[in-house]
Amino acid sequence: GNSSEYAQKIGAATGFQPKIQVNGTAGDGISIVGWRNSNDYPGNLWLARSNSDTNGTHALVTDGQKLGEVIFSGSDGTDFENAASIKCEVDGTAAANDMPGRLVFSTTADGASSPTERVRITSDGKLLVGTSSAIAPSNENFAVVSGGNTQISLARNDTSVNSGNTISQIKVYGNDDNGTYQECARIGFEADDAH
């Protein structure tokens, strides 16, 4: 039945079958809740990987290996197609008590059949938009890359904008190691007349 349809698709792509399958037609047919009543820890969804082929043992994971993934799919009228995913990968050399990781957010473009990476957060805190690991060694903490016209949009959503109103700003801050950031400079964009 339908409960195994997506499992078959996953199995064909990865060579394994999901052990837990939930299927239903009601509005809450596949709702899953993790709830803990405690003042110390919340509910958790834990995805983990070891390169060992034996249950209960450990073998080191390597740079670039996927540690876990959340996949979002929709029916195209025939079967399920993946629309987006969030995955965690090893982002460097792992060692004892050292597990560098990155998060990769992917979406499927209109007319495509599989997700493409759109946003990456690296192990050293860099935010890369529209790019891949090729730019990661650079010094930028925030990078936007596009195959065509790269664009960053700043917008003001308001019912009225008058002459002199600030539309958007870019501010630069400095911290002299006292824990307090101070504004050093800014670029402001203002309306030159009423909108």
Side-chain angles (χ1 to χ4, degrees), residues 21 174 180 189:
Q21 302 172 44
T180 303
F189 306 89

Side-chain angles (χ1 to χ4, degrees), residues 63-118:
D63 187 20
Q65 283 191 316
K66 186 177 5 178
L67 300 181
E69 185 172 14
V70 178
I71 302 171
F72 304 88
S73 302
S75 174
D76 65 0
T78 302
D79 60 6
F80 287 108
E81 298 296 338
N82 296 339
S85 69
I86 303 171
K87 61 185 175 183
C88 177
E89 299 172 335
V90 181
D91 194 30
T93 302
N97 300 315
D98 180 13
M99 189 54 58
R102 62 178 173 250
L103 286 176
V104 177
F105 298 79
S106 302
T107 61
T108 301
D110 189 16
S113 59
S114 61
T116 299
E117 177 179 333
R118 308 299 185 188

Side-chain angles (χ1 to χ4, degrees), residues 161-167 189-195:
V161 176
N162 297 311
S163 180
N165 284 165
T166 299
I167 304 300
F189 306 89
E190 297 181 349
D192 196 36
D193 203 345
H195 287 194

Side-chain angles (χ1 to χ4, degrees), residues 5-16:
E5 178 184 341
Y6 193 61
Q8 291 171 357
K9 181 177 179 63
I10 293 176
T14 64
F16 66 85

Side-chain angles (χ1 to χ4, degrees), residues 4-135:
S4 62
E5 178 184 341
Y6 193 61
Q8 291 171 357
K9 181 177 179 63
I10 293 176
T14 64
F16 66 85
Q17 294 291 327
K19 299 298 187 291
I20 299 174
Q21 302 172 44
V22 182
N23 178 271
T25 57
D28 58 354
I30 61 167
S31 298
I32 300 173
V33 176
W35 182 341
R36 176 175 175 147
N37 294 308
S38 172
N39 65 359
D40 54 1
Y41 296 107
N44 294 285
L45 174 62
W46 186 7
L47 304 177
R49 175 178 187 165
S50 167
N51 275 348
S52 172
D53 292 328
T54 305
N55 288 335
T57 63
H58 289 274
L60 186 67
V61 292
T62 59
D63 187 20
Q65 283 191 316
K66 186 177 5 178
L67 300 181
E69 185 172 14
V70 178
I71 302 171
F72 304 88
S73 302
S75 174
D76 65 0
T78 302
D79 60 6
F80 287 108
E81 298 296 338
N82 296 339
S85 69
I86 303 171
K87 61 185 175 183
C88 177
E89 299 172 335
V90 181
D91 194 30
T93 302
N97 300 315
D98 180 13
M99 189 54 58
R102 62 178 173 250
L103 286 176
V104 177
F105 298 79
S106 302
T107 61
T108 301
D110 189 16
S113 59
S114 61
T116 299
E117 177 179 333
R118 308 299 185 188
V119 176
R120 174 179 295 210
I121 304 173
T122 66
S123 60
D124 55 355
K126 294 177 182 175
L127 176 61
L128 310 177
V129 180
T131 183
S132 65
S133 59
I135 200 172

